[in-house]
Amino acid sequence: MFPQFEIFGRVIGTYGILVVIGGFFCALVGRFLVKRFGFDLFDLMLLMLSIGAGIFIGAHILYALTNIRNLITIFQNISVLWFDKFWEFFIMCIGGMVFYGGFLGGLAAVPVYCRFDRRVKPRQLFELYAVVVPLFHVFGRIGCFLGGCCYGIESPFGFTAHGNAVNPGVNDVCRLPVQLIEAGCNLLIFLLLLYLFRKQALSGRLIYVYMLVYPVARFILEFFRGDEIRGFIGPLSTSQWISLILFAAAVIGLTMDYIHTKKQRAAA
C-alpha cells in the first residue's frame, strides 16, 4: 500500500490523487450523458461543483456523527485543553469522510441546484447522479486500498502492508482486500446503470435501482471489514443501518411510482 508519496519535497496523499482522477472520469462520462438534458460544459461544471460541495460536507458530517462520543468528551474538557490540543482532537473527530454521508449530501445538493436552474428537473439529475456515483466510488475504494484505510479482516489470502504510518492498524497482517472487491462491485453497478441510462430503461428510476443494488453489496461487505473506526450501533455498523434505510426507501419510492403511474394510465 502507498498511503502517500513525495513530489518536489511535498507529501501528497494517494487517496486524494485517486479522488481527483475519479472526478475527472466522472466529468468525462457526464459530459456525454448531460447532452440528453441539453446541458453544455459550463452547466456541467456548475452541477459538479454543487454536488461535489454536498458530497464533501455530507461525508464529513456523517464521519463526525460516528465520532459523536469523542466530540462530546472533547467539549466537556474544553476548559482544561490548550487550544492546539483541542483543535488537534477536534480535527481527528471530523477530518475523515464516510461514503454514505457523501452520497446523501450529493443527493441533497440536487434539488438545491434545481432551485437556481429551473431548466432541468431534479428527476433528470438524479438519473445522472445514479450513473456517476458508482464510477467515482470505484476510484475512491482503490484509494482506500492504497492508503490502507477501510481494510478487510484477517485472511489466509490477500495483502500484507508494512510500515504504513498513516493507518498502522493495517500493518503486518494479511488482510482480505475488501476495498478492491467493493471497487469491482461498483464498477459492475456503474456498467449496469450506464446501460440502462443509454437504453432509457427504467427512466426516472435509476436512483432507486442504485439504492437497491449497492446497499445490498455494502451490507454484505461490511461483515468483511476489519477496521473499527466506521462506528457501530448495536450489532450492525453505521453503514449497514444506512444500507437498510436506503434499500427500504428505494422499495417505497418504486412502489409509490408504480401506483402513481397506474393511476395516470387509468385516468387516461
Side-chain angles (χ1 to χ4, degrees), residues 206-224:
L206 292 189
I207 192 66
Y208 293 136
V209 175
Y210 175 80
M211 289 166 59
L212 286 174
V213 178
Y214 175 72
V216 172
R218 180 62 180 267
F219 187 91
I220 295 170
L221 289 174
E222 281 287 304
F223 289 114
F224 298 93

Side-chain angles (χ1 to χ4, degrees), residues 204-256:
R205 300 176 180 87
L206 292 189
I207 192 66
Y208 293 136
V209 175
Y210 175 80
M211 289 166 59
L212 286 174
V213 178
Y214 175 72
V216 172
R218 180 62 180 267
F219 187 91
I220 295 170
L221 289 174
E222 281 287 304
F223 289 114
F224 298 93
R225 291 267 297 265
D227 61 319
E228 298 295 327
I229 197 170
R230 61 197 185 279
F232 285 84
I233 302 175
L236 301 178
S237 71
T238 306
S239 292
Q240 285 176 315
W241 285 112
I242 296 175
S243 293
L244 292 174
I245 293 170
L246 288 179
F247 186 88
V251 171
I252 293 170
L254 284 171
T255 302
M256 292 178 66

Side-chain angles (χ1 to χ4, degrees), residues 33-96:
L33 299 184
V34 295
K35 290 180 179 178
R36 179 185 297 180
F37 310 133
F39 269 36
D40 57 25
L41 183 60
F42 180 73
D43 295 324
L44 176 62
M45 291 299 103
L46 283 179
L47 175 61
M48 288 193 64
L49 285 173
S50 302
I51 292 179
I55 290 172
F56 181 82
I57 294 170
H60 281 288
I61 288 176
L62 187 55
Y63 183 84
L65 289 176
T66 63
N67 287 285
I68 191 65
R69 291 181 180 177
N70 292 331
L71 279 171
I72 292 172
T73 301
I74 290 171
F75 280 98
Q76 285 176 338
N77 294 278
I78 192 171
S79 61
V80 297
L81 289 172
W82 290 97
F83 178 78
D84 56 342
K85 281 295 180 183
F86 168 81
W87 187 249
E88 178 185 344
F89 293 145
F90 181 72
I91 292 299
M92 285 176 60
C93 290
I94 70 168

Side-chain angles (χ1 to χ4, degrees), residues 1 145 155 157-161 170 172-177 179-180:
M1 286 113 179
F145 173 74
S155 170
F157 58 91
F159 296 88
T160 304
V170 76
D172 305 317
V173 176
C174 186
R175 296 188 178 277
L176 183 73
Q179 312 100 314
L180 297 182

